[in-house]
Amino acid sequence: MRMTLVARQPTRITMTSVIFNYGTVVLSIIAFLLTAIALCTPSWQVVYAREIRQWVQSGLWLSCQTRPNGMYSCTYSFSHDDFNTYFSDEVSGFRTPAFYPWQRTLFHIYLISQGFALFSLICFCVSVSQRDSKLPSILRVVFLILAALIAIGCLVTFAVFSYMVEYRFFHVSVSGIYEKHRGYSYYIALVAVLFYVAAIILGTLQCLLSARGNSTISRQNINSSLQSDFFEYQYHPNRQTEESYEDRFAMRTLPPVPKKQTMF
């Protein structure tokens, strides 16, 4: 019975490791998609300008406005040359620019975070095809940690810059000044970071369980090998007939129990 329980322990560890493995990749995919949604939407800063009756949404590379007639228009910028009208000295004196250089920089850094997350998914595919190697699983956790750290750094930077006076308010005219608020895109990116952290925890546990399972299996293989060698030595038909004195003394059978003698 003891041998049966020991044999089931590596199986239980292996099943838990597989569950953690696939749980890590599911959480990583969810975090990757949520971050992509946050980057593709403009609602990082939202303000309603009553003077012009418009909702203005400012993203990292996309800025959208709702016209009074209901029309929805957007402008985008990937570099300074794409949209630099509001950066001129004449216009920026009385109206807020649609984009700032730090927003574009954060967008590019966020793309690096997405690249690390993509590398972690590639490492998962490699770990499935190469189950004996531990390196892909370790690299997957490392890439997830890098992606999470970069995303957290971008969120903290955006929170600090968006609270500064020169970036916190929307200027329509000299008297029309409105405060910007963080929109749903920022909170989607925040939820994505939480999924990254959960994926890192599961990935770390999976690596620890995998290492523990491999060590347990190796110890059992050594024990089974020793036992098989002992039985092969004891019951092998071609075993040498001449044995040492210690072997004959250790393996000899006990003498039979003497019978009771009755006295007449």
Side-chain angles (χ1 to χ4, degrees), residues 4-161:
T4 305
L5 293 176
V6 173
R8 288 180 179 176
Q9 184 179 3
T11 305
R12 190 182 300 112
I13 294 176
T14 304
M15 291 299 298
T16 307
S17 178
V18 170
I19 293 173
F20 285 171
N21 189 18
Y22 285 96
T24 302
V25 71
V26 169
L27 292 176
S28 302
I29 292 174
I30 294 175
F32 180 83
L33 294 178
L34 288 177
T35 305
I37 293 173
L39 293 178
C40 293
T41 52
S43 185
W44 286 76
Q45 284 182 304
V46 181
V47 62
Y48 179 71
R50 292 188 299 270
E51 184 176 346
I52 56 178
R53 293 181 298 172
Q54 289 184 5
W55 280 99
V56 180
Q57 298 177 349
S58 300
L60 299 182
W61 64 278
L62 190 65
S63 179
C64 298
Q65 298 178 359
T66 303
R67 304 293 182 181
N69 57 2
M71 186 176 65
Y72 193 74
S73 62
C74 297
T75 55
Y76 62 90
S77 173
F78 292 103
S79 64
H80 185 77
D81 297 330
D82 293 337
F83 192 81
N84 59 358
T85 303
Y86 288 153
F87 286 102
S88 61
D89 297 334
E90 294 81 7
V91 180
S92 61
F94 63 89
R95 188 166 183 178
T96 300
F99 304 101
Y100 291 100
W102 64 270
Q103 292 175 326
R104 191 169 54 250
T105 303
L106 281 183
F107 176 73
H108 293 159
I109 297 175
Y110 243 123
L111 292 181
I112 298 175
S113 174
Q114 290 290 88
F116 281 124
L118 188 60
F119 288 154
S120 69
L121 296 177
I122 295 174
C123 289
F124 167 76
C125 297
V126 175
S127 65
V128 172
S129 60
Q130 299 178 0
R131 297 182 182 273
D132 297 334
S133 179
K134 300 178 183 179
L135 184 60
S137 298
I138 297 174
L139 287 178
R140 180 183 62 177
V141 176
V142 172
F143 286 141
L144 284 178
I145 292 174
L146 292 176
L149 289 178
I150 293 175
I152 291 172
C154 290
L155 287 177
V156 172
T157 304
F158 182 85
V160 172
F161 273 85

Side-chain angles (χ1 to χ4, degrees), residues 208-262:
L208 294 177
L209 286 177
S210 179
R212 180 183 176 186
N214 292 334
S215 62
T216 305
I217 291 173
S218 62
R219 287 198 302 269
Q220 288 186 357
N221 291 334
I222 293 173
N223 293 332
S224 62
S225 178
L226 292 175
Q227 291 177 1
S228 63
D229 292 340
F230 172 75
F231 285 111
E232 183 179 359
Y233 171 76
Q234 187 175 4
Y235 298 106
H236 197 275
N238 296 326
R239 177 184 166 191
Q240 294 180 358
T241 57
E242 296 183 357
E243 297 176 350
S244 63
Y245 174 77
E246 291 80 2
D247 292 338
R248 285 188 283 108
F249 179 78
M251 296 183 185
R252 69 178 183 176
T253 58
L254 294 176
V257 179
K259 297 181 180 180
K260 293 183 179 180
Q261 296 181 0
T262 57

Side-chain angles (χ1 to χ4, degrees), residues 154-184:
C154 290
L155 287 177
V156 172
T157 304
F158 182 85
V160 172
F161 273 85
S162 62
Y163 198 75
M164 297 175 68
V165 176
E166 56 267 33
Y167 309 123
R168 182 179 176 184
F169 297 97
F170 181 74
H171 299 262
V172 178
S173 60
V174 177
S175 59
I177 301 175
Y178 305 94
E179 184 179 2
K180 297 179 182 180
H181 301 279
R182 299 188 187 98
Y184 63 86

